[in-house]
Amino acid sequence: MFHFLKGLFNKRSSVHKEEDPMKKFLIVGLGNIGDEYAETRHNIGFKILDELAKAQEFTFETAKLGDIGTFKIKGRTVICLKPSTYMNRSGKALKYWMDKENIPQSNLLVITDDINLPFGTTRIKTKGSDGGHNGLKDIQQHLQTHGYNRFRFGVGANFGKGRQVDYVLGQWNEEERDLISERLSRSAEVVSAFVLSGIARTMNQYNNT
């Protein structure tokens, strides 16, 4: 009887721990699926999650509405999502996994490219407009708020009038390719800092670096 009760107690404790929503995080990297988009500026969200996967030694598996990878760090469970819905339907995948995994909005971080920041510059924010970004626009519609955490990676704005789409869907130039590795490594650090230290400390440490 003692062993039965002990096992039951341990099982309940384990379930309670796994279901603690404040210890679960959802990191969403925005991008488009397909080899033709893999090395484009618009796919920096996918690239940063791939770098994080190398640093934390986890792999992605195809699941509903995206590729999913999970790792644990200091008692926290981190779920990483690369939506397979294409950029302008990113909110559908994000909302599905938030609801499925019971992730509080405060533990959500969206990684996106930003033409309003110089190449390689990082900026973490707790709210903001979509800035014309189709992925963020769809996320805002699904969440019904613009008050969610986002990690913006600068891709610069070296394009002529009316050439924005071609620019973000274009590949990195030679100079950017020489620098991207170091910036990806630092970006993976940003994600870990968000999980371990919270959004405020991460903003103070990494904004505009």
Side-chain angles (χ1 to χ4, degrees):
M1 178 64 72
F2 173 76
H3 290 295
F4 171 77
L5 292 174
K6 183 179 179 181
L8 183 61
F9 177 80
N10 288 339
K11 183 177 180 181
R12 287 177 175 174
S13 297
S14 175
V15 169
H16 175 74
K17 182 178 180 181
E18 291 176 0
E19 292 180 347
D20 183 354
M22 296 312 295
K23 290 188 177 182
K24 294 179 73 174
F25 295 78
L26 179 63
I27 313 299
V28 183
L30 300 189
N32 289 306
I33 59 173
D35 291 341
E36 67 269 36
Y37 297 110
E39 298 302 323
T40 62
R41 297 179 178 90
H42 221 24
N43 267 43
I44 191 62
F46 282 14
K47 295 287 284 185
I48 290 173
L49 287 190
D50 287 340
E51 184 69 21
L52 183 66
K54 286 191 287 185
Q56 297 293 338
E57 299 182 338
F58 69 90
T59 58
F60 284 93
E61 295 183 359
T62 299
K64 185 172 181 178
L65 301 179
D67 288 350
I68 290 288
T70 304
F71 69 97
K72 291 184 179 291
I73 181 170
K74 294 188 176 180
R76 297 161 175 85
T77 298
V78 185
I79 301 166
C80 299
L81 167 66
K82 295 191 289 186
S84 59
T85 50
Y86 288 101
M87 184 68 79
N88 61 355
R89 293 292 181 267
S90 299
K92 180 180 180 180
L94 180 153
K95 189 65 166 59
Y96 171 81
W97 284 98
M98 273 189 72
D99 292 346
K100 176 179 173 59
E101 297 294 336
N102 192 27
I103 308 289
Q105 192 164 297
S106 60
N107 286 6
L108 167 69
L109 181 67
V110 176
I111 308 173
T112 180
D113 60 301
D114 196 319
I115 61 172
N116 296 307
L117 297 175
F119 168 77
T121 301
T122 58
R123 186 170 297 169
I124 301 93
K125 298 184 68 176
T126 58
K127 61 182 179 180
S129 69
D130 58 61
H133 192 290
N134 288 332
L136 297 183
K137 187 179 299 183
D138 193 60
I139 289 170
Q140 182 171 321
Q141 290 175 352
H142 277 81
L143 294 181
Q144 290 296 295
T145 180
H146 61 269
Y148 59 90
N149 303 318
R150 67 205 62 189
F151 169 18
R152 299 158 58 198
F153 184 100
V155 297
N158 188 25
F159 56 87
K161 185 177 181 180
R163 305 292 294 180
Q164 177 178 331
V165 173
D166 292 336
Y167 179 76
V168 297
L169 291 179
Q171 297 193 357
W172 307 103
N173 61 38
E174 185 176 351
E175 181 180 0
E176 291 167 339
R177 285 195 295 269
D178 289 341
L179 298 171
I180 194 71
S181 179
E182 184 272 335
R183 303 312 296 172
L184 288 175
S185 178
R186 187 164 180 80
S187 296
E189 292 178 11
V190 171
V191 176
S192 295
F194 167 71
V195 172
L196 294 174
S197 304
I199 189 69
R201 288 186 179 180
T202 304
M203 289 168 64
N204 289 335
Q205 183 175 357
Y206 289 99
N207 268 352
N208 299 317
T209 59

